[in-house]
């Protein structure tokens, strides 16, 4: 029979399974106890009492209590006692369970608090652990440092020990030396004592004596002299003489050495200057070259003049020299450093593969530079020689200066003359060109004039003869006249040109041309004058002619 | 190379005359003079006692023979064999005897260095010099023979006296800066006197001819100091060999060290090292009788030759006994070549008694106890 499930479902809305957790059931059922009596009443009604009874019986038996009702009972009435007992049991059970619940709650609280406590303690311990770890590392560090210190101190100690050992050895050797000397002296002393006692005892004392057959002469053959003050003074003098001669010799050597060193320094300085100059040239370009060479040549001249003038004895000069050398050296050093940095940069930029090629080109460059340096050196040397030669040959400074001045003057004059000559030559060229052009023109016109002249003559000849045309003549005249004149002038001019071409003196050539023209055209004025008289129309042409050839006008008027 | 017969001699007294014509040897109490070229005996003199010391005079005309035990000095003449001269120092004893540079005076040092007696052979006059110092080298003549420097000690202080050798006139007398003067030496040009301390202190003082102190040099303190000293022939350099196995060269302008040479046990940085290799044939000592020695071939039975050893070379070093005084370490001999280009040094306990250069400067003689060795230099080689 399964009434519970349906009953319970229907009435309580909770699914109760066999052996379900009774606690939960109790808890849940305790609520309705407090609360709804309707639900309680819903379980057991008048109708389903026996079912309820059996159900409760089952439940109670399952709980392990005495059953309240058996089927074998006759009356359907409940035994109140058993029911009460059962209820009591149930209440006891409930109370017991509540107690256990309480206990369990208490225990749970306890355990949770314990847990909290433990968590706190673990965090604390973790922190402690961290702290102690840090301390540990700190202590390890300290230990390491102390060990190092210990090592260094041990080294020091070793060194000190070694030193001490050395000193002890030294002391020992000195002590042995002292002892040895002391013993020797003691032995000597003992010998002396013995000898003294011997002498005091032995009354026979052997005296010193020399036994020579005959005196021998001095080694140098001279007679020995008495010891006098003069001899003493002489000895002193000789002694000082030897010392002085030694000092003299030494000083001479030192002076020579000094001069040599100075010369070498000077050479080095010049080399450095030339090196730096070379670098300046390659860096700055051609324009500066001219300025640079001029300036440097001046510098050089200054230096060369410097050297023999201010001898070797002035401190000022030597200071100047050393300072200038230091300056040049610094410049050279900075320059070399620059080059080095450039080279390194180039190498870095070029990359590893092309490492050898820059080096090769560098080497080539270096060789080239070396050659150039050698050339410059030689140049400088030759210049030096020349200057020295010049300086040695010229006895007086003033005359040399004067000579220099004269030479400069002459140079200037020659330069000016050259310039004028050049100008005149250019002018001459131009005029020559013009003249040739004019000559060419004139030749053309002359040809035309000749032809016209020939035709005019023909016409005149023809006019003289009965058949002739004056108009033709009139037409042809002006051109013929002009052409005649032109021809003449042309002839003369060509003559003059040929003359003038042969002689270079063109200053007089212009005058020659006018004079010659004058002479040449003496013949022509009659012709020129005659023509205008005859033909009035020709006056205009003749005026034109004068205009065209003002020279002819000039010539004809005077 | 030919060899003459062997002659007897005693005390290693065997000297060639300064002019190179005669050879004098001493045999017990006899003095034998031979001609150098023919080795014929020219003269034979007999002295009164065993000769302790023999010396030629500078003009090769006289020889002095000193007999220290009997405090006698006998002088013999080569030109006049019957000329004789005997100097008896008497009870005062004789410790050393030598010629003066002019060859006419004899300086005798008495026992205990009480005084130096100067005997003149020209005038029979006697001069005394008091308080000479008994040290390694207390007396030195300048090379030109004009001056004599003598170390003296009075009142526990060191002095140097400079005498003019002409008439033994005392030129200068000055106190030195040394505690215990051990030696002095003139420079070859005669202008500077080098004076050095005993080995307990490294101190070299340089005095000018007129007694002024020019400079002092001290390389280090406390350890044992100077062992040997040598001037270069040009007077430009002074070489000091010391117990620390180093040679220091001073220059004559500033008197400061310009070079220092070391003698390490392992040689690594020189050009060539020559090592003597001996090949001894097995000869038992019984056979080495007098008879055998006179046979020329057996004398040179131990053949030795020199090989060039490859660098680095380890030199066998014998550690000297440190408990003994004057230990056999340090540079004990120095010699400059005549052109001042090379210096030969002997370091340590090698059995070399002396080093001498030939006057041309290109060969060196090493003389040991039983052997001698000639070292020739080629153009670019140096000998160790």
């Amino acid at each position: 029979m399964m009434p519970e499930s349906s009953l319970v479902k229907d009435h309580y809305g909770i699914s109760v399974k066999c052996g379900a957790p009774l606690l939960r059931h109790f808890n849940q059922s305790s609520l309705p106890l407090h609360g709804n009596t309707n639900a309680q009443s819903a379980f057991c009604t008048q109708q389903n009492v026996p079912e309820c009874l059996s159900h409760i019986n089952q439940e109670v038996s399952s709980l392990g209590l005495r059953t309240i009702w058996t089927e074998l009972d006759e009356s359907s009435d409940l035994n109140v006692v058993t029911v009460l007992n059962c209820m009591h049991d149930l209440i006891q059970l409930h109370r017991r369970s509540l107690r256990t619940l309480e206990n369990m709650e208490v225990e749970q609280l306890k355990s949770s608090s314990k847990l909290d406590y433990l968590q706190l303690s673990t965090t604390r311990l973790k922190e402690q652990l961290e702290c102690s770890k840090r301390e540990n590392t700190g202590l390890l560090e300290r230990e390491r440092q102390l060990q190092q210190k210990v090592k260094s101190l041990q080294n020091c100690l070793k060194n000190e020990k070694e030193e001490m050992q050395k000193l002890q050895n030294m002391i020992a050797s000195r002590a042995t030396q002292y002892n040895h000397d002391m013993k020797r002296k003691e032995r000597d002393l003992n010998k002396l004592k013995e000898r003294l006692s011997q002498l005091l005892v032995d009354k026979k004392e052997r005296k010193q004596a020399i036994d020579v057959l005959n005196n021998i002469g001095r080694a140098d053959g001279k007679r020995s002299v008495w010891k006098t003050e003069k001899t003493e003074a002489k000895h002193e003098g000789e002694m000082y003489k030897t010392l002085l001669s030694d000092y003299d010799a030494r000083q001479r050597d030192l002076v020579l050495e000094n001069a040599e060193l100075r010369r070498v320094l000077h050479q080095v300085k010049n080399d450095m200057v030339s090196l730096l100059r070379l670098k300046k040239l390659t860096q700055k370009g051609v324009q500066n070259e001219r300025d640079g060479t001029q300036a440097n040549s001046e510098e050089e001249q200054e230096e060369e003049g410097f050297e023999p003038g201010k001898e070797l004895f002035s401190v000022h000069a030597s200071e100047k020299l050393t300072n200038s050398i230091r300056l040049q050296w610094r410049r050279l050093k900075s320059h070399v450093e620059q080059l080095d940095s450039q080279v390194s940069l180039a190498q870095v930029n070029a990359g590893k593969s092309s490492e050898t090629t820059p080096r090769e080109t560098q080497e080539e460059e270096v060789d080239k530079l070396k050659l150039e340096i050698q050339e410059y050196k030689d140049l400088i040397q030759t210049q030096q020689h020349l200057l020295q030669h010049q300086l040695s040959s010229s006895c007086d400074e003033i005359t040399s200066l004067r000579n220099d001045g004269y030479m400069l003057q002459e140079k200037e004059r020659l330069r000016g003359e050259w310039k004028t000559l050049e100008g005149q030559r250019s002018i001459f060229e131009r005029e020559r060109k013009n003249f040739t052009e004019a000559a060419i023109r004139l030749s053309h016109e002359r040809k035309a004039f000749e032809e016209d002249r020939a035709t005019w003559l023909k016409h005149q000849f023809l006019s003289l003869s009965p058949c002739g045309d004056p108009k033709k003549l009139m037409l042809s005249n002006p051109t013929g006249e002009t052409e005649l004149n032109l021809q003449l002038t042309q002839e003369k001019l060509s003559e003059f040109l040929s003359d003038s071409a042969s002689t270079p003196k063109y200053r007089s050539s212009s005058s020659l041309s006018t004079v010659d023209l004058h002479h040449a055209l003496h013949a022509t004025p009659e012709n020129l004058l005659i023509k205008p008289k005859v033909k009035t129309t020709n006056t205009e042409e003749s005026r034109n002619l004068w205009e065209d050839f003002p020279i002819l006008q000039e010539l004809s008027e005077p | 190379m030919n060899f003459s017969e062997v002659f007897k001699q005693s005390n290693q007294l065997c000297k060639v005359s300064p002019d190179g014509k005669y050879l004098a040897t001493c045999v017990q109490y006899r003095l034998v003079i031979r001609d150098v070229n023919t080795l014929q005996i020219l003269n034979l003199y007999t002295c009164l006692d065993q000769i302790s010391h023999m010396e030629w005079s500078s003009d090769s005309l006289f020889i002095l023979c000193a007999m220290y035990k009997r405090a006698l000095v006998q002088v013999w003449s080569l030109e006049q064999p019957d000329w004789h001269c005997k100097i008896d120092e008497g009870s005062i004893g004789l410790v050393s005897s030598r010629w003066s540079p002019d060859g006419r005076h004899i300086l005798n040092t008495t026992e205990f260095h009480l005084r130096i007696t100067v005997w003149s052979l020209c005038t029979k006059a006697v001069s005394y010099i008091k308080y000479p110092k008994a040290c390694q080298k207390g007396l030195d003549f300048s090379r030109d023979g004009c001056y004599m420097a003598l170390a003296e000690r009075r009142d526990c202080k060191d002095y140097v006296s400079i005498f003019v050798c002409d008439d033994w006139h005392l030129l200068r007398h000055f106190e030195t800066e040394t505690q215990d003067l051990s030696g002095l030496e003139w420079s070859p040009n005669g202008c500077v006197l080098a004076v050095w301390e005993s080995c307990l202190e490294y101190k070299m003082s340089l005095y000018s001819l007129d007694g002024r102190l020019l400079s002092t040099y001290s390389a280090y303190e406390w350890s044992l100091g100077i062992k040997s000293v040598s001037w270069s022939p040009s007077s430009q350099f002074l070489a000091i060999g010391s117990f620390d196995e180093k040679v220091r060269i001073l220059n004559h302008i500033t008197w400061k060290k310009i070079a220092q040479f070391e003698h390490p046990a392992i040689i690594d940085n020189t050009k060539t090292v020559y090592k003597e290799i001996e090949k001894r044939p097995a000869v038992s000592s019984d056979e080495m009788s007098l008879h055998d020695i006179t046979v020329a071939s057996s004398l040179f039975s131990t053949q030795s030759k020199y090989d060039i050893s490859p660098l680095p070379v380890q030199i066998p070093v014998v550690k000297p006994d440190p408990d003994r005084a004057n230990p056999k370490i340090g540079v004990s001999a120095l010699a400059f070549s005549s052109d001042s280009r090379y210096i030969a040094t002997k370091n340590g306990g090698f059995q070399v008694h002396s080093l001498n250069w030939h006057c041309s400067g290109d060969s060196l003689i090493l003389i040991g106890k039983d052997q001698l060795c000639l070292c020739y230099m080629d153009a670019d080689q140096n000998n160790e």
Side-chain angles (χ1 to χ4, degrees):
Chain A
M1 144 162 118
M2 300 284 282
E4 313 96 50
S5 58
S6 60
L7 267 171
V8 170
K9 263 188 195 170
D10 287 342
H11 295 288
Y12 293 99
I14 43 172
S15 56
V16 175
K17 292 179 184 115
C18 298
L22 291 164
L23 197 70
R24 210 164 135 216
H25 191 222
F26 273 132
N27 277 339
Q28 278 170 353
S29 58
S30 68
L31 287 168
L33 269 172
H34 290 293
N36 266 336
T37 45
N38 288 338
Q40 179 68 17
S41 59
F43 170 64
C44 183
T45 55
Q46 293 287 342
Q47 289 87 22
N48 57 356
V49 169
E51 288 98 3
C52 289
L53 270 172
S54 64
H55 178 245
I56 287 173
N57 219 16
Q58 269 182 356
E59 298 250 332
V60 164
S61 63
S62 74
L63 282 173
L65 302 167
R66 283 176 293 173
T67 53
I68 53 168
W69 182 72
T70 50
E71 292 230 352
L72 298 169
D73 278 349
E74 294 119 14
S75 62
S76 60
D77 294 330
L78 289 167
N79 196 353
V80 177
V81 171
T82 50
V83 166
L84 283 172
N85 282 334
C86 188
M87 275 181 73
H88 177 75
D89 285 335
L90 281 169
I91 288 168
Q92 290 292 329
L93 205 70
H94 180 70
R95 281 222 182 101
R96 226 182 291 145
S97 63
L98 277 177
R99 245 184 280 132
T100 52
L101 185 68
E102 263 182 42
N103 287 338
M104 283 176 83
E105 276 182 354
V106 162
E107 283 210 28
Q108 203 215 1
L109 273 172
K110 267 195 208 166
S111 63
S112 71
S113 73
K114 241 189 197 172
L115 186 71
D116 282 338
Y117 173 72
L118 283 171
Q119 274 181 347
L120 276 170
S121 65
T122 49
T123 49
R124 190 169 41 85
L125 286 170
K126 268 188 190 161
E127 276 172 27
Q128 266 191 1
L129 183 68
E130 282 292 309
C131 260
S132 59
K133 267 191 189 163
R134 257 181 269 134
E135 267 184 45
N136 193 26
T137 51
L139 285 169
L140 278 172
E141 184 63 36
R142 257 192 74 193
E143 197 192 317
R144 195 181 56 82
Q145 279 179 351
L146 286 171
Q147 271 192 345
Q148 270 196 338
K149 225 182 187 181
V150 161
K151 257 192 231 168
S152 65
L153 284 171
Q154 275 179 342
N155 274 341
C156 279
L157 181 69
K158 203 168 59 158
N159 291 339
E160 290 295 318
K161 274 194 183 156
E162 275 173 20
E163 255 192 65
M164 202 183 70
Q165 193 65 35
K166 252 193 271 179
L167 285 169
Q168 274 185 342
N169 287 342
M170 239 191 284
I171 291 171
S173 62
R174 286 173 81 85
T176 48
Q177 198 74 27
Y178 278 130
N179 288 336
H180 175 80
D181 282 340
M182 281 285 281
K183 282 191 194 142
R184 199 158 41 96
K185 288 207 160 62
E186 211 177 313
R187 265 182 252 130
D188 276 345
L189 187 67
N190 285 335
K191 266 195 242 172
L192 260 171
K193 280 188 200 165
E194 275 176 40
R195 185 45 105 71
L196 186 65
S197 61
Q198 195 191 32
L199 281 170
L200 288 171
V201 164
D202 276 347
K203 283 305 159 92
K204 52 176 175 156
E205 194 181 310
R206 286 187 303 140
K207 283 259 161 82
Q208 282 182 318
I210 180 166
D211 172 27
V212 185
L213 186 64
N214 53 344
N215 289 352
I216 48 179
R218 274 164 61 98
D220 48 3
K222 288 188 220 158
R223 288 198 322 164
S224 52
V225 285
W226 294 105
K227 264 195 212 176
T228 55
E229 274 177 14
K230 225 170 49 168
T231 54
E232 285 175 26
K234 201 174 65 158
H235 288 311
E236 289 271 322
E238 272 175 21
M239 177 188 83
Y240 283 121
K241 249 189 251 175
T242 40
L243 278 174
L244 280 170
S245 59
D246 178 58
Y247 282 133
D248 267 340
R250 215 195 288 178
Q251 208 229 359
R252 256 180 277 133
D253 289 336
L254 286 171
V255 161
L256 284 171
E257 222 182 292
N258 248 357
E260 180 68 28
L261 287 169
R262 241 179 255 263
R263 200 177 55 81
V264 167
L265 268 178
H266 217 76
Q267 253 183 359
V268 164
K269 187 185 114 177
N270 288 337
D271 288 345
M272 282 200 282
V273 163
S274 63
L275 259 176
L276 289 168
R277 202 190 310 153
L278 177 68
K279 254 301 125 184
K280 272 190 206 160
L281 291 180
T282 54
Q283 277 176 7
K284 286 183 184 173
V286 180
Q287 259 213 359
N288 285 344
E289 188 182 347
R290 284 205 205 124
D291 302 334
T293 46
Q294 270 197 4
N296 283 328
S297 62
E298 284 167 28
E299 229 182 58
E300 256 190 61
Q301 281 181 8
E302 197 186 1
E303 288 162 7
E304 297 309 319
F306 202 41
E307 198 187 307
K310 304 234 175 141
E311 283 299 317
L312 313 157
F313 303 115
S314 80
V315 176
H316 184 60
S318 61
E319 265 181 34
K320 240 183 173 180
L321 182 63
T322 47
N323 285 337
S324 61
I325 280 188
R326 274 200 207 112
L327 183 68
Q328 298 296 336
W329 181 247
R330 252 182 265 136
R331 274 194 217 153
L332 193 69
K333 227 182 14 177
S334 65
H335 178 67
V336 167
E337 277 166 16
Q338 257 183 4
L339 281 175
D340 273 342
S341 62
Q342 275 179 18
V343 161
S344 60
L345 273 173
Q347 274 187 356
V348 161
N349 291 340
K352 286 182 188 175
S353 57
S354 59
E355 235 183 54
T356 51
T357 44
R359 212 174 287 156
E360 280 173 13
T361 52
Q362 269 177 43
E363 282 179 4
E364 283 173 40
E365 275 189 41
V366 164
D367 289 330
K368 260 193 272 173
L369 283 171
K370 277 186 189 164
L371 278 170
E372 280 181 38
I373 287 166
Q374 193 59 40
E375 280 174 45
Y376 285 127
K377 269 193 211 171
D378 293 333
L379 187 69
I380 289 166
Q381 271 194 351
T382 48
Q383 279 187 358
Q384 249 186 347
H385 282 310
L386 284 169
L387 269 161
Q388 275 185 1
H389 184 69
Q390 204 180 45
L391 284 166
S392 62
S393 61
S394 69
C395 47
D396 198 5
E397 264 188 24
I398 300 165
T399 50
S400 67
L401 277 171
R402 214 191 300 150
N403 288 340
D404 287 345
Y406 283 155
M407 276 180 61
L408 283 168
Q409 265 188 12
E410 280 232 26
K411 265 193 195 167
E412 287 295 328
R413 195 162 48 80
L414 284 167
R415 232 178 266 152
E417 280 197 353
W418 193 253
K419 268 189 208 156
T420 50
L421 280 170
E422 287 283 306
Q424 283 176 348
R425 200 197 291 178
S426 60
I427 292 167
F428 166 67
E429 287 290 340
R430 252 186 285 125
E431 287 202 42
R432 192 178 175 183
K433 262 190 222 164
N434 292 340
F435 272 123
T436 46
E437 280 172 28
I440 291 162
R441 262 189 283 127
L442 280 169
S443 67
H444 287 308
E445 291 185 53
R446 181 196 181 186
K447 258 193 208 165
F449 176 68
E450 280 285 325
E451 283 171 23
D452 275 314
R453 185 189 176 208
T455 50
W456 185 76
L457 280 167
K458 234 200 295 179
H459 282 302
Q460 253 205 333
F461 194 74
L462 288 167
S463 68
L464 281 170
S465 62
C467 52
D469 202 0
K471 281 185 189 173
K472 273 190 193 173
L473 287 167
M474 278 202 279
L475 284 166
S476 64
N477 266 339
T479 50
E481 279 176 9
T482 54
E483 268 165 37
L484 175 67
N485 293 329
L486 279 166
Q487 208 181 5
L488 286 163
T489 54
Q490 170 56 37
E491 277 176 349
K492 292 303 163 195
L493 277 170
S494 63
E495 276 180 35
F496 298 141
L497 283 170
S498 61
D499 286 334
S500 62
S502 57
T503 56
K505 294 187 228 168
Y506 61 87
R507 224 185 275 162
S508 43
S509 60
S510 50
S511 58
L512 218 154
S513 61
T514 51
V515 167
D516 282 359
L517 269 171
H518 188 84
H519 285 309
L521 294 170
H522 257 301
T524 55
E526 301 97 19
N527 292 342
L528 292 168
L529 291 167
I530 290 166
K531 300 287 183 303
K533 279 182 194 166
V534 173
K535 282 127 194 170
T536 51
T537 53
N538 287 343
T539 52
E540 286 181 24
E541 275 83 345
S542 65
R543 244 182 267 124
N544 289 338
L545 191 65
W546 293 127
E547 282 164 9
D548 288 337
F549 294 91
I551 298 168
L552 296 171
Q553 201 176 20
E554 279 175 59
L555 288 169
S556 59
E557 276 163 26
Chain B
M1 190 180 242
N2 285 325
F3 292 92
S4 70
E5 56 183 274
V6 176
F7 299 115
K8 276 194 258 189
Q9 54 89 28
S10 65
N11 274 355
Q12 276 98 43
L13 290 170
C14 179
K15 289 180 191 159
V16 178
S17 69
D19 61 359
K21 289 192 204 154
Y22 309 105
L23 172 70
T25 44
C26 297
V27 185
Q28 296 297 322
Y29 55 91
R30 284 207 193 91
L31 175 69
V32 183
I33 313 284
R34 291 173 202 274
D35 181 65
V36 150
N37 295 319
T38 62
L39 291 176
Q40 295 282 349
I41 296 179
L42 297 172
N43 278 313
L44 186 65
Y45 304 103
T46 311
C47 297
L48 296 167
D49 196 11
Q50 188 181 31
I51 302 171
S52 322
H53 178 70
M54 184 263 293
E55 194 175 325
W56 282 93
S57 70
S58 54
D59 53 2
S60 306
L61 294 175
F62 300 96
I63 303 178
L64 81 80
C65 301
M67 292 141 272
Y68 294 149
K69 283 210 196 96
R70 282 190 57 177
L72 282 173
V73 175
Q74 280 184 284
V75 186
W76 304 102
S77 160
L78 248 69
E79 288 177 327
Q80 300 175 323
D82 7 314
W83 186 87
H84 65 272
C85 169
K86 187 175 81 168
I87 299 171
D88 186 1
E89 284 290 337
S91 333
I92 207 160
L94 185 64
V95 156
S96 93
S97 176
R98 62 197 290 171
W99 283 104
S100 70
D102 62 357
R104 295 292 179 271
H105 294 86
I106 293 178
L107 287 95
N108 288 339
T109 311
T110 63
E111 212 171 346
F112 309 114
H113 283 78
L114 287 176
R115 63 165 189 249
I116 293 181
T117 324
V118 183
W119 297 92
S120 163
L121 295 177
C122 311
T123 62
K124 286 201 267 191
V126 183
S127 321
Y128 298 109
I129 303 174
K130 283 207 286 186
Y131 310 115
K133 183 155 187 198
C135 54
Q136 191 189 24
K137 189 175 176 182
L139 192 142
D140 193 33
F141 291 102
S142 64
R143 211 157 282 202
D144 53 3
C146 292
Y147 302 104
M148 177 182 92
L150 179 71
E152 295 179 10
R153 192 156 178 105
R154 294 164 204 250
D155 298 329
C156 308
K157 278 192 254 187
D158 285 322
Y159 296 87
V160 168
S161 298
I162 299 181
F163 294 91
V164 181
C165 294
D166 269 349
D167 52 1
W168 305 106
H169 160 64
L170 177 66
L171 190 66
R172 284 285 187 277
H173 179 79
F174 53 91
E175 189 180 340
T176 61
E177 295 216 343
T178 52
Q179 292 285 343
D180 185 10
L181 202 158
S182 159
L184 43 77
E185 189 165 331
W186 285 104
S187 67
N189 62 4
C191 296
V192 180
L193 184 68
V195 166
W196 61 93
E197 272 269 20
S198 71
C199 58
L200 288 171
E201 188 181 344
Y202 193 126
K203 190 170 180 187
M204 168 70 76
S205 308
L206 294 136
Y207 291 90
S208 132
L209 174 57
D210 57 345
R212 289 173 298 123
L213 173 66
L214 294 171
S215 171
T216 57
Y217 174 73
S218 173
Y220 51 79
E221 282 190 308
W222 307 122
S223 287
L224 293 180
I226 300 175
K227 191 161 183 181
S228 58
V229 171
S230 171
W231 283 96
S232 77
S234 55
S235 306
Q236 286 172 324
F237 306 113
L238 177 64
I240 307 175
S242 47
F243 279 92
D244 65 344
E245 303 185 333
K246 289 190 192 146
V247 177
R248 292 175 177 84
I249 314 268
L250 310 182
N251 76 86
H252 73 305
I253 298 173
T254 61
W255 301 113
K256 297 233 186 299
K257 178 179 81 169
I258 54 165
Q260 180 173 301
F261 301 118
E262 305 190 354
H263 297 81
I266 298 174
I267 301 172
D268 212 356
N269 56 354
T270 57
K271 276 193 192 166
T272 47
V273 174
Y274 289 92
K275 185 174 167 188
E276 184 185 4
I277 297 170
E278 272 190 328
K279 285 189 268 184
R280 264 185 221 276
V283 172
S284 63
S285 52
D286 300 329
E287 292 176 30
M288 294 295 276
S289 63
L290 190 69
H291 200 68
D292 280 338
I293 286 170
T294 54
V295 177
S297 56
S298 63
L299 247 183
F300 303 100
S301 54
T302 59
Q303 291 180 356
S304 62
K305 66 181 180 83
Y306 286 86
D307 269 348
I308 298 179
S309 307
L311 300 170
V313 170
Q314 174 98 22
I315 294 185
V317 172
V318 175
K319 264 222 130 134
D321 187 3
D323 289 337
R324 293 190 58 195
N326 295 320
K328 283 201 197 306
I329 53 170
V331 180
S332 51
L334 300 165
F336 272 99
S337 69
S338 53
D339 53 1
S340 305
R341 283 178 72 199
Y342 305 107
I343 181 166
T345 63
K346 181 198 117 176
N347 181 37
F350 292 104
Q351 294 293 325
V352 173
H353 277 189
S354 69
L355 305 164
N356 283 301
W357 286 89
H358 189 262
C359 50
S360 66
D362 59 0
S363 54
L364 176 68
I365 289 185
L366 305 165
I367 299 179
K369 202 159 67 136
D370 304 318
Q371 298 117 359
L372 69 87
C373 167
L374 274 168
C375 310
Y376 291 96
M377 307 240 285
D378 287 337
D380 285 329
Q381 283 178 1
N382 262 330
N383 275 344
E384 178 65 17

